[in-house]
Amino acid sequence: FERLVDGRGRDGGGGDSSSSGGGGKVVLCHSCHIRRPLRAKHCRVRRKCVMAFDHYCPYVGNAVGLYNYKWFFLYCLSFTLSAIQWQYVAWAHQRHHQRQNAGKDYSLVAAQLWFCPFILFGLAMVTYHAQLVYGNLTTNEHVNLHRYDYFQDPNAPSRKFKNPFDKGCLNNLIDRFFPPALERHPLLLQATLDDDRPNGGKKKRDDDDDDDDDDDDD
């Protein structure tokens, strides 16, 4: 891990020698001054690189990445279920109110109408992120598929999309919600192994302006 961050091989040299797993070159982050692992991205709001960067969420005030994605998903799910539960309780109260011949409570009707967009937004968020989990993709990757070489099939002449991280529904769920510890994460281990290989190729230097200009919000 130290060799990955410092850019030093076993010989202590500067390390001109690596390419990361999944077919992509090792990318340097010139803001954090580290070698950025595959699927990581620099968040300009938090001013740091985030493993498996998904997006920056203004509602929670934090970047969503490898180890807090499951909590973000649960936040979206609980928010949606709470809004639906409130709508049901309001509907039940209206029914009880009408049975007492008191007519409709129009202030409550207005509140129910005001709540509808939040329910639709929550359902859209849960559905979208469930699809991402099913395919083992992040929001950033889904929006910027054309910018990442590791999603292009090298054997297809038309650069056909191919997801190297898709391991099947159950394994994708485990990979996104229960990732291994950082020091045992396959992306870091693969990058470290590549760093130890002699003549492993030259590092790719991407400017932050090219790779980090799309910090997607909710």
Side-chain angles (χ1 to χ4, degrees):
F1 179 74
E2 292 177 353
R3 289 195 299 274
L4 173 68
V5 173
D6 297 335
R8 293 183 286 105
R10 285 183 177 176
D11 57 355
D16 259 348
S17 68
S18 66
S19 62
S20 67
K25 298 292 183 182
V26 168
V27 179
L28 299 181
C29 177
H30 302 295
S31 297
C32 297
H33 304 291
I34 65 169
R35 301 175 64 184
R36 191 162 57 213
L38 203 66
R39 309 191 82 179
K41 188 176 185 293
H42 185 83
C43 176
R44 288 191 170 184
V45 180
R46 301 299 298 172
R47 297 183 179 181
K48 61 181 67 176
C49 285
V50 180
M51 285 284 293
F53 177 82
D54 193 87
H55 68 287
Y56 178 83
C57 179
Y59 300 104
V60 299
N62 199 5
V64 179
L66 181 65
Y67 291 107
N68 66 348
Y69 181 78
K70 63 182 175 183
W71 303 117
F72 170 78
F73 186 87
L74 289 174
Y75 163 74
C76 293
L77 183 62
S78 61
F79 167 82
T80 305
L81 293 177
S82 297
I84 293 174
Q85 182 186 35
W86 185 92
Q87 194 74 270
Y88 173 77
V89 171
W91 173 81
H93 174 76
Q94 286 282 24
R95 290 287 302 273
H96 178 71
H97 202 259
Q98 290 178 350
R99 287 172 182 171
Q100 293 181 339
N101 297 321
K104 285 188 177 181
D105 185 348
Y106 288 100
S107 61
L108 187 58
V109 171
Q112 287 180 278
L113 293 175
W114 184 76
F115 245 77
C116 285
F118 293 97
I119 295 176
L120 295 176
F121 175 75
L123 288 173
M125 288 290 294
V126 171
T127 302
Y128 175 69
H129 282 279
Q131 292 177 334
L132 291 180
V133 171
Y134 178 79
N136 202 350
L137 286 172
T138 66
T139 300
N140 173 61
E141 291 171 339
H142 182 250
V143 173
N144 301 296
L145 283 176
H146 62 285
R147 299 176 60 184
Y148 296 109
D149 292 338
Y150 52 83
F151 285 120
Q152 312 299 328
D153 188 352
N155 300 320
S158 59
R159 293 173 62 86
K160 183 180 179 181
F161 169 74
K162 181 180 180 180
N163 186 357
F165 307 112
D166 190 354
K167 308 170 186 176
C169 181
L170 180 59
N171 288 327
N172 289 345
L173 182 70
I174 295 173
D175 195 41
R176 293 308 306 279
F177 289 161
F178 306 101
L182 186 63
E183 62 273 11
R184 294 187 289 106
H185 198 280
L187 295 179
L188 287 180
L189 293 177
Q190 181 63 47
T192 306
L193 289 174
D194 287 339
D195 186 52
D196 291 337
R197 295 173 184 170
N199 300 323
K202 293 183 179 180
K203 292 180 288 185
K204 175 182 177 184
R205 295 176 178 267
D206 282 354
D207 293 333
D208 290 328
D209 292 339
D210 294 335
D211 189 49
D212 301 326
D213 54 357
D214 293 325
D215 285 335
D216 304 302
D217 294 340
D218 289 352

